[in-house]
Amino acid sequence: MRGALAALPAAFFALFFAYPVATIVGRGLKTDEGWRLGRLGEVLTRPDILDVLWFTTWQALASTALTLLVALPGAYVLARFDFPGRRVLRAVVTVPFVLPTVVVGTAFLALLGRGGLLDEAWGVRLDTTVWAILLAHVFFNYAVVVRTVGGLWAQLDPRQEEAARVLGASRLAAWRRVTLPALGPAVAAAALMVFLFTYTSFGVVVILGGPAYRTLEAEVYRQTAQLLDLPTAAVLTLVQFAAVGCVLALHAWTVRRRESALRLVDPAGTARRPRGAGQWALLGGVLASVALLLMLPLGVLVARSLDASGGLGYYRALRSVEASGGTFTVPPLQAVWNSLQFACAATAVAVVVGGLAAAALTRRAGRLVRGLDALLMLPLGVSAVTVGFGFLIALDEPPLDLRSSWFLVPLAQALVGVPFVVRTMLPVLRAVDARLREAAAVLGASPLRAWREVDLPMVRRALLVAAGFAFAVSLGEFGATVFIARADHPTLPVAVARLLGRPGELNYGQAMALSTILMVVCAVALLLLERVRVDGKGEF
């Protein structure tokens, strides 16, 4: 039964992920004379490629360390403190995670770029590019640490630390010897996920870094789309694939440690009202950091979307083809409707594929199951640029001639949405008592009816959360969509990037306006998710 459930997800990923990636890599490394494996050494010893590898690695390490430094106090506050507005704060800090990278890059461009807030209002003339990239990564990944570490922290029994205090340990010693070892797997898992997202960063680096600063993902895009150097792009894809595989293997190991090594309690009983000046000061510091790091860039983005008189001129210009200066063959506002249609279709695919995969993974057993779990996570780290270009190369002949089909975009977006569906639904499905299904079977229910009568009522809310996350990430997918979105059907992230790539104040203002619209749609979706979220369940 579980093999049948896993068949569709496995076939989906083999056809729309493994096949396009293998095709593009094969085109780059294989010639009529055979495989050019010597190309690996040639590419990896080039000075410009070494610079890209060095920048990719050190900025990912720096972004990870900075994110942990900034976000761990927030994880503690949301896990241990009970205060008015806690649920709203939790939703606010999670909004950046589901925002498209194009919006995040645009927001920090408005804040730290040329003509940004620091440049105009404070007269700062420093080269802020690297800091803008690092802070944008912290902004984007803050919620990863808060959700991963804070979710476990809220379920740790505080009486263990209190017992150490009674035995004479100081507050710091009790935390270091009792709480920190228990949090270690969660901190490691969060750090690995942040490293993965920043190592494969594309939209943020393209918008903020320009040609001077390139990650592996951005360099794959340059080699593929601008230089048409497929062999170099193939080598870089393999390097990124190997790095992502190592990170995902470490992440799976830390997750297993987190699941098996601890005894957890109900998180509802561990949060208390802050006591003493120190705890209130910590709460105030976290609120201030959230306001400065998370809210200020979004506020500046909204302000930049208004014209010089503070009006809606840039928004009105989105309705005109002429206002875009020939950037589009349709009004830029059409990108909103296109993105909503594509995201809805991608969500439907992601929920079906991810739901079946989560059901197949419910029982943790066997290498085959663990292999499927790892396969489902690969799209989060493998080059989306390679996937998008692979779609164009591989899916252009019958019976899979989809290059001219509008459904190609939702398929690419669904690849990114499936991991979120699996990671959201899997813990909830594993929590369903198998004896309930067995009792339904004894009473004569078919497997389908048993699932409908037993599982579905228990996982309905998790299913809604999974669909919401899939919708949000599909709405903002950029790396693959930039290759396959047609000129007469642009998506919001693609439209923003194209407007930013053209000179002129009107194009810049329209890009800010579209980014604001995209931010509002994602924020509303997430706030709705918080109302139906299953507390303590799911990894996102």
Side-chain angles (χ1 to χ4, degrees), residues 56 82 149 214 252 279 299 314 362 519:
T56 301
D82 185 17
V149 180
R214 300 188 302 273
Q279 292 190 353
Y314 295 141
T362 300
M519 176 193 70

Side-chain angles (χ1 to χ4, degrees), residues 351 355 358 420-430 432 455-470 529 532-540:
V351 168
F420 290 89
V421 174
V422 174
R423 299 264 75 83
T424 301
M425 293 191 63
L426 187 56
V428 181
L429 285 170
R430 284 176 175 168
V432 177
D455 292 70
L456 183 59
M458 296 184 180
V459 303
R460 184 182 291 115
R461 294 176 69 188
L463 187 62
L464 291 174
V465 173
F469 268 115
L529 290 185
V532 300
R533 182 178 177 272
V534 184
D535 290 336
K537 301 296 184 184
E539 296 183 27
F540 293 100

Side-chain angles (χ1 to χ4, degrees), residues 113-157:
R114 183 176 297 276
L117 180 64
L118 291 181
D119 193 356
E120 288 186 354
W122 297 346
V124 176
R125 297 289 180 178
L126 300 175
D127 181 7
T128 56
T129 301
V130 173
W131 276 108
I133 291 173
L134 296 181
L135 290 176
H137 286 159
V138 175
F139 172 95
F140 188 72
N141 294 291
Y142 189 96
V144 176
V145 177
V146 169
R147 291 233 173 201
T148 305
V149 180
L152 178 62
W153 211 332
Q155 297 178 73
L156 293 180
D157 192 343

